[in-house]
């Protein structure tokens, strides 16, 4: 299994440009997440999905959009890039089953470093 | 809301020294607790976890015990190696709250 893969590894955007960060997992996980990691800070949740066709906002969703048309893919879209979106973006996935009694482990991709100038 | 507070870094130790990185949490219920490690240029990897009080998670010589009475999950290792140099994140997750709550991370550097 490749686990969680993300592309690209690094990207420079100009203010106002748009781009899509790709995320794919091959573990048949139902839950997927997007986090951002700012320097010296912990990770903040942007959006998450509990299954294909279902997405919801996290703590810091402004300026981003997501879709989940398949179990495997969870792309993150930046429509009008701003310097405040300079960050490292991590995709993660997990499996939560019916009646699960504990919070499950999330598995992370290698990250996409984004610089907005 | 839920929060995780962990020891400020950076931490620099000599090889074979004893390591403790403190982590405390606040939660409304009974969270699962995690330590993730981020090696330079890589994503986060699960290091260990514990899902209930008094559970001990362990991996690669690292240990952490879920202490409900002190709301803590301190990471320890008896003898660190240069290869342990990384950033360590403590995190909590509670059912009903979809996200992991992360601490700010502790950068650990081990010198030979």
């Amino acid at each position: 299994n490749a686990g969680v893969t993300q592309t690209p590894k690094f990207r420079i955007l100009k203010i106002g440009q748009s781009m899509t960060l790709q995320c794919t997992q091959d573990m048949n996980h139902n839950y997927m997440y997007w986090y951002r990691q700012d320097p010296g800070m912990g990770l903040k949740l942007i959006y998450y999905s509990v299954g294909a066709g279902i997405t919801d906002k996290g703590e810091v969703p402004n300026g981003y959009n997501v879709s989940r048309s398949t179990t495997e893919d969870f792309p993150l879209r930046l429509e009008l890039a701003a310097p405040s979106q300079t960050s490292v973006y991590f995709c993660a996935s997990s499996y939560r089953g019916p009646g699960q009694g504990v919070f499950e482990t999330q598995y992370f991709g290698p990250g996409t470093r984004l610089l907005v100038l | 809301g839920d929060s995780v507070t962990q020891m400020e870094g950076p931490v620099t130790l000599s090889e074979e020294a004893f390591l403790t990185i403190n982590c405390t949490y606040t939660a409304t219920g009974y969270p699962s607790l995690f330590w993730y490690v981020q090696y330079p240029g890589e994503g986060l990897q699960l290091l260990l976890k514990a899902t209930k009080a008094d559970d001990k998670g362990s991996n690669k010589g690292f240990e952490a015990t879920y202490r409900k009475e002190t709301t803590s999950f301190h990471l320890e290792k008896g003898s660190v190696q240069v290869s342990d140099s990384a950033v360590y994140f403590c995190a909590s997750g509670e059912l009903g709250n979809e996200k992991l709550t992360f601490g700010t991370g502790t950068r650990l550097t081990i010198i030979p």
Side-chain angles (χ1 to χ4, degrees):
Chain A
N1 283 355
V4 180
T5 57
Q6 293 181 237
T7 56
K9 281 189 168 54
F10 175 67
R11 183 80 182 266
I12 299 175
L13 282 184
K14 293 182 180 177
I15 294 172
Q17 286 185 321
S18 61
M19 78 166 291
T20 298
L21 283 67
Q22 302 292 345
C23 174
T24 299
Q25 55 92 9
D26 64 358
M27 297 176 282
N28 203 30
H29 286 170
N30 48 358
Y31 280 52
M32 294 187 75
Y33 311 82
W34 275 105
Y35 291 88
R36 58 177 287 172
Q37 181 186 27
D38 297 324
M41 307 288 288
L43 280 68
K44 300 285 188 188
L45 183 66
I46 305 171
Y47 271 95
Y48 67 96
S49 167
V50 303
I54 307 169
T55 63
D56 209 345
K57 296 177 181 179
E59 300 172 270
V60 290
N62 291 346
Y64 307 95
N65 276 301
V66 294
S67 59
R68 182 103 182 265
S69 56
T70 66
T71 300
E72 295 80 18
D73 300 306
F74 190 42
L76 177 72
R77 179 89 178 154
L78 283 71
E79 290 295 349
L80 290 169
S84 61
Q85 293 177 304
T86 293
S87 190
V88 181
Y89 291 85
F90 288 103
C91 180
S93 73
S94 66
Y95 178 76
R96 187 173 296 185
Q100 186 157 324
V102 296
F103 196 95
E104 71 288 354
T105 299
Q106 294 184 11
Y107 296 89
F108 285 79
T112 294
R113 185 175 298 273
L114 177 66
L115 181 60
V116 182
L117 299 173
Chain B
D2 295 359
S3 67
V4 172
T5 303
Q6 67 180 99
M7 184 173 166
E8 293 282 331
V11 174
T12 302
L13 294 173
S14 296
E15 205 166 21
E16 299 184 3
F18 184 85
L19 169 71
T20 300
I21 302 177
N22 290 337
C23 172
T24 57
Y25 67 92
T26 62
T28 53
Y30 302 96
S32 294
L33 301 173
F34 305 84
W35 277 101
Y36 281 86
V37 58
Q38 185 178 29
Y39 297 105
E42 298 184 13
L44 278 73
Q45 302 175 23
L46 177 69
L47 181 59
L48 53 84
K49 69 177 185 180
T51 59
K52 62 182 189 295
D54 299 325
D55 265 3
K56 179 186 282 188
S58 61
N59 187 24
K60 298 182 181 180
F62 290 90
E63 292 182 340
T65 301
Y66 190 142
R67 301 283 187 205
K68 187 167 178 295
E69 63 276 14
T70 54
T71 62
S72 64
F73 193 53
H74 305 321
L75 183 68
E76 296 182 336
K77 186 174 185 182
S79 177
V80 292
Q81 306 300 313
V82 172
S83 57
D84 294 327
S85 297
V87 181
Y88 292 81
F89 290 94
C90 185
S92 72
E94 201 168 355
L95 287 179
N97 189 356
E98 302 306 333
K99 67 179 177 72
L100 275 172
T101 299
F102 283 87
T104 54
T106 301
R107 181 175 298 278
L108 174 67
T109 301
I110 308 300
I111 53 177

